Amino acid sequence: MNKKGLEIKDLSISYRVGKQSFVAVEDVNMKIEPGKIVGIIGESGCGKSTVMNAILDTLPQNGFVGQGEILFNNKNLLTLNKEERRQMKWTEISCAFQYAQSAMNPVAKVLDQFLDAFYDHGIDMSSEEKLNIIQEKIEMCGLDWERVVDSYPHELSGGMRQRVAIANSLILDPSLLLLDEPTTALDIITQAFVVEALRNVHKSLGLTMLLISHDIGNIAKLADNVIVMYAGTIVESGTVEEIFYESKHPYTRGLIASTPSLREDLSKRKSIQGEPPNLLSMPEGCKFHPRCEYMVERCKQIIPKTQVLEGQHTCACIRVDEISGGLS
């Protein structure tokens, strides 16, 4: 496979609400090297899905890109027309969304839904070749070919449907796979099957992946690099080791500290106080300051710039040098 990476430069995205508009994603920069897995973490409303929808050209009608570039294989996707973007889906950039039940046609068997992608893109291939590809991708995701293809979605478990959705996203051999909360609403055992399927897919195909999730544990198991978003901005980024063992931003530390563990006393978990800001009335200065226990007066006035620390580690906090040693 010809591996291709993704780079996002100075991306800002807004939504119109009545006569107003508000910025949902602001000055986002990220780079995913070919063949790597990058995870984005953050609370609901932080901008994770908005970034993904901009890549896929699936922003809602009231959403629009204010500025920036989305470079895939050195081509700015935002300069392409609708048909060019549509033709790239599944052949070069593919996706698997959360709640696979909603993404699948309830009255069509799994095999027919796989074949739709071939028909939609006018792939000139024999029926036998198509079936071989579908079988390969289904089995790559840890599913039984004969059990799955002749079933309707409601005849499969939630975990099986999610893995079917992942397999379906792979049949036209994309270079980039986007995954939106692939383990949401699944029990912990079923999540493990999905994570193992993704590991096998990456090992077998070596494709580039962008994975967004609330589940920090699964990001840690899969990703090479992690991006932390808060209120539409990137507050910290780095390798898995840098983020999970050497995190500097108070928000990242708060996310990790609030994540429950099966091996630890849950009473030791500490949640982040307060709620994410209303995007229609953002706080001045650092957007996290109303919830930050390390806030000082200047945090209310200064918008923090992203600083490069060591290695690939970046952080946007004006007090990072002062408080990193005291965070625990």
Side-chain angles (χ1 to χ4, degrees):
M1 173 181 287
N2 181 19
K3 295 181 181 180
K4 299 174 183 177
L6 179 80
E7 185 172 7
I8 294 176
K9 295 182 176 181
D10 302 322
L11 183 67
S12 292
I13 303 168
S14 298
Y15 290 106
R16 297 182 187 90
V17 179
K19 295 181 179 180
Q20 300 183 70
S21 66
F22 64 89
V23 178
V25 167
E26 186 172 13
D27 295 328
V28 161
N29 291 274
M30 67 176 72
K31 188 172 185 178
I32 309 176
E33 298 290 345
K36 297 294 185 180
I37 302 176
V38 170
I40 305 180
I41 60 175
E43 295 166 291
S44 295
C46 71
K48 305 186 302 293
S49 294
T50 295
V51 170
M52 184 170 289
N53 284 328
I55 298 169
L56 290 168
D57 192 30
T58 54
L59 286 169
Q61 288 187 343
N62 67 328
F64 62 95
V65 175
Q67 67 173 35
E69 297 178 302
I70 301 175
L71 303 173
F72 175 69
N73 197 29
N74 297 316
K75 182 187 298 182
N76 185 4
L77 300 181
L78 299 177
T79 64
L80 305 181
N81 62 41
K82 287 286 185 183
E83 180 58 23
E84 289 171 326
R85 296 289 293 272
R86 190 189 72 82
Q87 285 296 329
M88 291 184 72
K89 293 175 185 176
W90 256 247
T91 59
E92 295 192 64
I93 301 175
S94 194
C95 61
F97 293 106
Q98 61 179 315
Y99 305 121
Q101 175 74 35
S102 301
M104 300 174 73
N105 185 341
V107 296
K109 290 187 175 181
V110 168
L111 178 59
D112 294 327
Q113 301 192 48
F114 274 74
L115 291 172
D116 279 345
F118 290 104
Y119 298 142
D120 186 60
H121 287 272
I123 304 297
D124 185 16
M125 192 180 288
S126 70
S127 296
E128 183 179 0
E129 288 175 307
K130 292 175 184 175
L131 290 175
N132 286 338
I133 290 172
I134 295 170
Q135 181 173 356
E136 176 194 16
K137 297 304 191 291
I138 284 177
E139 292 179 347
M140 187 181 293
C141 290
L143 295 164
D144 181 82
W145 156 255
E146 294 183 355
R147 164 74 175 88
V148 167
V149 290
D150 201 39
S151 299
Y152 290 97
H154 71 270
E155 296 176 313
L156 305 175
S157 69
M160 293 174 73
R161 285 194 296 267
Q162 192 63 60
R163 283 180 285 163
V164 164
I166 294 167
N168 195 3
S169 71
L170 302 172
I171 57 171
L172 299 187
D173 288 326
S175 301
L176 173 65
L177 177 61
L178 309 179
L179 296 143
D180 185 2
E181 301 282 3
T183 58
T184 292
L186 301 177
D187 64 75
I188 192 167
I189 302 300
T190 306
Q191 286 184 33
F193 284 116
V194 173
V195 168
E196 185 58 33
L198 290 173
R199 274 208 196 100
N200 192 45
V201 165
H202 187 257
K203 180 180 178 181
S204 301
L205 302 179
L207 75 174
T208 308
M209 291 184 182
L210 178 61
L211 168 64
I212 68 175
S213 180
H214 293 95
D215 195 314
I216 293 177
N218 287 331
I219 291 282
K221 293 172 187 173
L222 287 167
D224 299 297
N225 291 74
V226 179
I227 292 167
V228 185
M229 291 190 69
Y230 182 77
T233 63
I234 293 176
V235 297
E236 191 166 7
S237 66
T239 64
V240 166
E241 291 77 14
E242 288 167 340
I243 295 301
F244 289 103
Y245 297 106
E246 301 172 24
S247 56
K248 304 297 183 184
H249 199 284
Y251 178 64
T252 307
R253 291 289 185 101
L255 285 178
I256 295 170
S258 63
T259 302
S261 170
L262 293 177
R263 293 191 293 261
E264 295 179 6
D265 183 351
L266 292 181
S267 66
K268 296 180 180 179
R269 298 293 89 190
K270 183 180 178 182
S271 63
I272 303 174
Q273 298 301 307
E275 298 178 352
N278 184 332
L279 297 181
L280 288 170
S281 57
M282 286 286 194
E284 297 293 325
C286 173
K287 296 176 181 178
F288 185 61
H289 85 254
R291 307 174 69 189
C292 182
E293 61 181 307
Y294 298 94
M295 185 271 294
V296 293
E297 195 61 30
R298 68 181 189 273
C299 297
K300 301 177 182 180
Q301 303 159 355
I302 301 172
I303 298 174
K305 294 182 179 180
T306 299
Q307 304 176 53
V308 178
L309 305 178
E310 295 182 8
Q312 300 178 51
H313 203 171
T314 71
C315 182
C317 174
I318 64 171
R319 300 197 65 203
V320 62
D321 293 331
E322 301 171 52
I323 66 177
S324 59
L327 290 170
S328 59

